[in-house]
Amino acid sequence: MTALAPHLTAFLREHLPHERRASPHTCAAYAYSFQLLLCFAAARLRTTPSGMKIEQLDPPLLLAFLEHIEDGRGNSAGTRNARLAAIKAFFRFLEYRLPSCLDQARRIRAIPMKKVDEALVSHLSRDEMQALLDAPDPRRVSGIRDRAMLHLAFAAWLRVSELVSLRIDQIDRQTVASSAGLYPPSS
């Protein structure tokens, strides 16, 4: 069995901040995720965090931990996913350091993220829309372009993916010119 401590230390102190250039906030969030995991696993396995082995962090234990995060601690699915992302990143790191853990890493990385309902903006007020339209700098070519794209997106109810994939030959210039008077001018 392989001791967890030296590999986790290398991951948190060397790999994340120096090799991956993760921000201090990311490093702290990952460290906190492992603090929670190790406290949970040590209690479940009746051992100390310093005595834990990598092989003990198997998918059933990690799934129990993730359930504990949501149900026992009352965390959201987004927080659960953040903790799982930290664990998956650690096992990606281990794949290159410990070939004996390849199968375990594969099974852990197969644990799915939970779907998270994202709050959508139902609509923008006239003032909010105007603020967005006024944001690009009209003195710069990129500002004129961005404002035109925003106008087109709002007027045609385009999604961003539809807007950026639009080609100039797809625009009906006759219809655009005739409908220009339908919208009140912006102030």
Side-chain angles (χ1 to χ4, degrees), residues 9 32-36 39 51 64 72 79 86 89 93 96 100 127 182:
T9 300
Y32 186 63
S33 294
F34 281 101
Q35 179 184 352
L36 293 173
C39 289
T79 301
F93 167 76
Y96 296 96
S100 61
D127 291 338
L182 294 178

Side-chain angles (χ1 to χ4, degrees), residues 72-130:
R73 293 179 52 90
N75 292 145
S76 68
T79 301
R80 173 214 185 263
N81 288 344
R83 305 291 180 231
L84 179 56
I87 294 165
K88 286 182 175 187
F90 175 64
F91 276 91
R92 268 192 309 278
F93 167 76
L94 282 182
E95 285 179 352
Y96 296 96
R97 292 177 59 112
L98 282 175
S100 61
C101 292
L102 282 174
D103 185 57
Q104 179 184 6
R106 180 191 54 79
R107 289 182 294 125
I108 289 169
R109 290 181 55 210
I111 297 172
M113 296 287 196
K114 263 201 168 172
K115 291 205 178 229
V116 179
D117 291 333
E118 293 183 27
L120 298 176
V121 176
S122 60
H123 69 281
L124 296 176
S125 71
R126 184 176 183 85
D127 291 338
E128 291 168 331
M129 191 178 297
Q130 192 61 52

Side-chain angles (χ1 to χ4, degrees), residues 136-141 143-144:
D137 184 356
R139 294 171 292 175
R140 301 180 63 174
V141 173
I144 294 168

